[in-house]
């Protein structure tokens, strides 16, 4: 059974960098079959895809200038770094596995981590 | 970006009721449409992928359908554990985008 677990500071000061890790168990992040994804949900709002990593990285254009997603294969983890944060970056951050059916191109996110709340405040 | 809309934004229904939620894409997305269920304080859970394929372990009372750019999620015979918020997601084009959600609560 694949499980993902986010970790990192729950409070970040404005203008600093938000750094989160996602530890994966039950699957190898080296697997070419999957991508590894970050999604966030601002308080009381919907879901926003941040970006993912597999062979390379893809980012949401709205965040691309501030985001880096990377892999740490030694720890079977992937990470999110979001720089120059503001209060608008306060959200629950989820990591998830991206699954793609290569015969059709269909893709989806499953499973998801439980999420971690990051508050941006001085 | 492809815009996803959902209707209704919320609904109240009784146990055993049949519920249908609609998601509309701003352009054609073929079958690149997924449905997730989210309960308060929990992560979203995949229900349906590729518009109509039921994720393993999801009860068969959940089903998805597609008609052009309109997609529906139907729950037949609503159960207590189905009261939640439901999101659609398109993965046809980057960035992947989600609908605003439909909250199903108890009537």
């Amino acid at each position: 059974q694949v499980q993902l677990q986010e970790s990192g500071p729950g409070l970040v000061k404005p203008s600093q960098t938000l750094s989160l890790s996602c530890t994966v168990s039950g699957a190898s992040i080296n697997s070419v079959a999957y991508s590894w994804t970050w999604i966030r949900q601002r308080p009381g709002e919907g879901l926003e895809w941040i970006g993912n990593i597999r062979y390379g990285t893809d980012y949401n254009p709205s965040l691309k200038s501030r985001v880096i997603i990377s892999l740490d294969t030694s720890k079977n983890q992937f990470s999110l770094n979001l720089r120059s944060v503001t209060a608008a970056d306060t959200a629950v951050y989820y990591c998830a596995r991206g699954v793609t059916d290569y015969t059709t191109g269909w893709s989806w996110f499953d499973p998801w981590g439980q999420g971690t709340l990051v508050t941006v405040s001085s | 970006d492809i815009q996803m809309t959902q209707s209704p934004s919320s609904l109240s229904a009784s146990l055993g009721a049949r519920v249908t939620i609609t998601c509309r894409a701003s352009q054609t997305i073929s079958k690149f449409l997924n449905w997730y269920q989210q309960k308060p304080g929990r992560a979203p859970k995949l229900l349906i992928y590729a518009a109509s394929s039921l994720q393993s372990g999801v009860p068969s009372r959940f089903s998805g359908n597609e008609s052009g750019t309109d997609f529906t999620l139907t729950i037949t015979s609503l159960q207590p554990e189905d009261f939640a918020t439901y999101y659609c997601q398109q993965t046809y084009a980057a960035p992947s985008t989600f609908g605003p959600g439909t909250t199903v609560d108890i009537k």
Side-chain angles (χ1 to χ4, degrees):
Chain A
Q1 181 184 2
V2 179
Q3 293 183 313
L4 291 84
Q5 177 69 57
E6 304 88 352
S7 60
L11 181 64
V12 180
K13 293 185 182 338
S15 80
Q16 294 191 343
T17 297
L18 179 161
S19 296
L20 296 174
S21 295
C22 180
T23 300
V24 179
S25 58
S28 171
I29 61 168
N30 281 322
S31 172
V32 297
Y34 305 116
S35 62
W36 306 98
T37 301
W38 288 97
I39 304 112
R40 71 180 182 181
Q41 186 170 34
R42 294 190 181 99
E45 297 190 17
L47 298 159
E48 180 181 28
W49 174 74
I50 298 171
N52 62 31
I53 186 167
R54 187 169 52 204
Y55 305 114
T57 50
D58 287 306
Y59 301 127
N60 192 319
S62 67
L63 296 167
K64 187 174 184 177
S65 64
R66 300 193 290 131
V67 173
I68 296 175
I69 296 175
S70 58
L71 295 176
D72 185 339
T73 56
S74 67
K75 297 180 180 178
N76 215 41
Q77 290 179 343
F78 62 106
S79 298
L80 169 70
N81 281 274
L82 179 66
R83 65 180 181 85
S84 303
V85 296
T86 70
D89 295 308
T90 294
V92 175
Y93 286 78
Y94 296 100
C95 58
R97 182 181 66 171
V99 181
T100 300
D101 179 335
Y102 288 101
T103 60
T104 59
W106 300 327
S107 62
W108 54 90
F109 300 153
D110 180 70
W112 297 49
Q114 66 183 27
T116 187
L117 174 64
V118 179
T119 301
V120 178
S121 175
S122 56
Chain B
D1 297 2
I2 296 176
Q3 304 302 313
M4 308 299 293
T5 57
Q6 287 183 235
S7 60
S9 58
S10 64
L11 65 92
S12 296
S14 301
L15 292 176
R18 178 186 179 94
V19 167
T20 298
I21 299 167
T22 298
C23 174
R24 175 170 291 174
S26 61
Q27 66 178 73
T28 183
I29 59 171
S30 185
K31 293 173 68 73
F32 290 77
L33 190 284
N34 308 314
W35 289 98
Y36 299 87
Q37 176 194 66
Q38 185 178 35
K39 296 180 180 179
R42 304 286 296 275
K45 171 189 170 184
L46 178 69
L47 299 176
I48 301 281
Y49 63 93
S52 57
S53 295
L54 191 67
Q55 172 67 347
S56 176
V58 174
S60 59
R61 63 180 179 273
F62 291 93
S63 63
N65 205 351
E66 167 226 354
S67 178
T69 58
D70 289 344
F71 300 82
T72 55
L73 173 70
T74 299
I75 312 170
T76 58
S77 190
L78 201 63
Q79 299 300 300
E81 59 269 29
D82 300 337
F83 293 98
T85 299
Y86 294 86
Y87 294 95
C88 60
Q89 174 208 19
Q90 68 80 19
T91 57
Y92 180 80
S96 174
T97 47
F98 294 84
T102 295
T103 300
V104 178
D105 60 25
I106 301 172
K107 188 173 185 178

